């Protein structure tokens, strides 16, 4: 029988992981604006891979089997594409708004689970999805009023495309969490992402200026630490008890976006986020639903 104390530590670690991911998103937005999206992703992957390798050696992690490596390869590739879309969008829209739109991913994951894992989707989950779609429409309605830059709608579209990939990532994550440690998960995710981004290195990679080095190190450290923290927390507490914590990412994104970029929070963003979160929580409580953790910055 689990005690309140046994849940308190995973809960606290999950809270810290979500907050760190939000700060990482802001660091990546600033880095992408400073040195370009590709170089921000590439050098963060380089730094994260080195950090992960050191930790793998220090903790004497075992090399995974071929079957587990296939899972790492698939998830890392999906996350690389997802990250490129999400951070491209962050360069064009407020941080809190992008996070709010990305919350639709768990609802998409319900249908991907039905398609890929042959899981049933109940009536309550369908209603939750409709509520989430209304939330997306509310957020997008602010953009249709002409309040934002011309390419802001493209940014919103990129977030939604990223959310589809993230939903697929959630399905893969169910398998990965059962066969790999948090350090192994974080290391191989960065390693595979580095492999993907290295394909364009001969033409696109440039050494970042020395002034950008601290931001690269910060983004990589935050990405690795927050990913490992969430993996650790979800291995020690039920997902349905931790899922509500992850929606605090919206709160952190609003604060960090305002402090770092002077981004203002709009009423449509708040209202849409509440509708999407409500839909996700309803889906998580529906019979047989297994909505995995929702942090959008798992990139």
């Amino acid at each position: 029988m689990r005690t309140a104390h046994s849940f308190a530590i995973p809960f606290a670690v999950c809270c810290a992981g979500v907050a760190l991911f939000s700060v990482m998103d802001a660091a990546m937005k600033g880095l992408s604006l400073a040195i370009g999206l590709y170089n921000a992703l590439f050098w963060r992957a380089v730094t994260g891979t080195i950090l992960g390798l050191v930790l793998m050696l220090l903790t004497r992690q075992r090399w995974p089997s071929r079957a587990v490596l296939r899972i790492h390869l698939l998830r890392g590739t999906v996350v690389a594409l997802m990250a490129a879309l999400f951070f491209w969008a962050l360069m064009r829209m407020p941080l809190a708004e992008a996070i709010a739109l990305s919350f639709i991913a768990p609802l998409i994951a319900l249908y991907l689970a039905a398609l890929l894992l042959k899981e049933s989707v109940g009536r309550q989950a369908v209603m939750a999805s409709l509520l989430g779609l209304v939330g997306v429409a509310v957020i997008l309605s602010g953009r249709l009023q002409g309040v934002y830059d011309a390419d802001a709608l493209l940014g919103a579209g990129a977030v939604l495309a990223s959310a589809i990939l993230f939903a697929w990532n959630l399905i893969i994550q169910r398998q990965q969490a059962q066969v790999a440690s948090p350090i192994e998960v974080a290391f191989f995710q960065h390693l595979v992402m580095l492999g993907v981004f290295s394909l364009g290195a001969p033409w696109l990679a440039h050494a970042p200026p020395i002034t950008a080095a601290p931001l690269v190190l910060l983004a990589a450290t935050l990405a690795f630490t927050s990913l490992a923290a969430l993996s650790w927390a979800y291995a020690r507490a039920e997902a349905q008890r931790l899922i509500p914590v992850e929606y605090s990412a919206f709160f952190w994104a609003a604060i960090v976006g305002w402090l770092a970029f002077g981004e203002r929070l709009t009423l449509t963003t708040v209202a849409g986020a509440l509708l999407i979160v409500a839909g996700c929580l309803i889906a998580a409580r529906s019979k047989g639903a297994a909505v995995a953790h929702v942090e959008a910055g798992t990139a």
Side-chain angles (χ1 to χ4, degrees):
M1 180 177 181
R2 292 183 179 272
T3 65
H5 177 72
S6 66
F7 174 68
I9 296 178
F11 177 83
V13 172
C14 184
C15 289
V18 170
L20 290 174
F21 253 125
S22 298
V23 178
M24 184 275 293
D25 287 338
M28 281 297 293
K29 176 171 183 171
L31 190 61
S32 299
L33 292 171
I35 65 175
L37 175 61
Y38 174 82
N39 280 283
L41 290 168
F42 177 76
W43 290 109
R44 189 193 70 164
V46 169
T47 308
T49 300
I50 295 172
L51 175 62
L53 180 59
V54 171
L55 291 175
M56 286 280 287
L57 294 174
L58 288 176
T59 57
R60 299 183 179 181
Q61 299 281 318
R62 293 182 178 180
W63 192 259
S65 66
R66 183 175 299 180
V68 176
L69 279 174
R70 283 197 294 267
I71 297 175
H72 288 321
L73 180 61
L74 177 59
R75 189 184 180 201
T77 303
V78 171
V79 170
L81 298 176
M82 178 192 78
L85 285 168
F86 183 75
F87 292 123
W88 185 87
L90 279 190
M91 297 171 67
R92 291 160 174 81
M93 63 191 305
L95 185 62
E97 189 170 328
I99 293 291
L101 284 173
S102 70
F103 284 161
I104 197 70
L107 299 178
I108 298 173
L110 290 174
Y111 295 95
L112 283 182
L115 179 65
L116 301 177
L117 304 179
K118 308 304 179 184
E119 296 181 0
S120 61
V121 178
R123 181 181 301 176
Q124 192 172 352
V126 173
M127 295 302 296
S129 301
L130 293 176
L131 187 61
L133 289 176
V134 172
V136 171
V138 169
I139 293 174
L140 293 181
S141 69
R143 298 204 165 278
L144 296 176
Q145 295 172 11
V147 179
Y148 300 92
D149 295 336
D151 62 347
L153 277 176
L154 291 176
V159 171
L160 294 176
S162 174
I164 295 174
L165 290 172
F166 187 62
W168 186 13
N169 161 69
L170 292 179
I171 302 300
I172 304 169
Q173 178 183 270
R174 296 184 192 179
Q175 301 170 293
Q176 190 183 40
Q178 298 173 354
V179 295
S181 70
I183 290 177
E184 181 183 322
V185 168
F187 167 65
F188 277 98
Q189 181 164 305
H190 283 86
L191 179 63
V192 175
M193 291 175 69
L194 176 58
V196 172
F197 295 135
S198 292
L199 296 176
W203 303 277
L204 300 174
H206 302 286
I210 193 65
T211 54
L215 203 53
V216 172
L217 181 60
L218 176 64
T221 302
L222 289 172
F224 195 98
T225 305
S226 51
L227 179 59
L230 288 172
S231 297
W232 187 92
Y234 275 86
R236 288 161 176 80
E238 294 178 349
Q240 63 182 350
R241 300 185 69 185
L242 293 179
I243 283 171
V245 177
E246 302 230 23
Y247 294 110
S248 65
F250 181 77
F251 169 76
W252 292 113
I255 292 177
V256 176
W258 174 63
L259 290 175
F261 306 105
E263 297 170 351
R264 293 186 299 174
L265 196 59
T266 65
L267 182 60
T268 54
T269 300
V270 174
L274 290 175
L275 288 170
I276 295 172
V277 170
C280 290
L281 294 179
I282 291 171
R285 287 175 171 80
S286 64
K287 184 178 179 180
V291 182
H293 83 72
V294 299
E295 171 54 48
T298 313

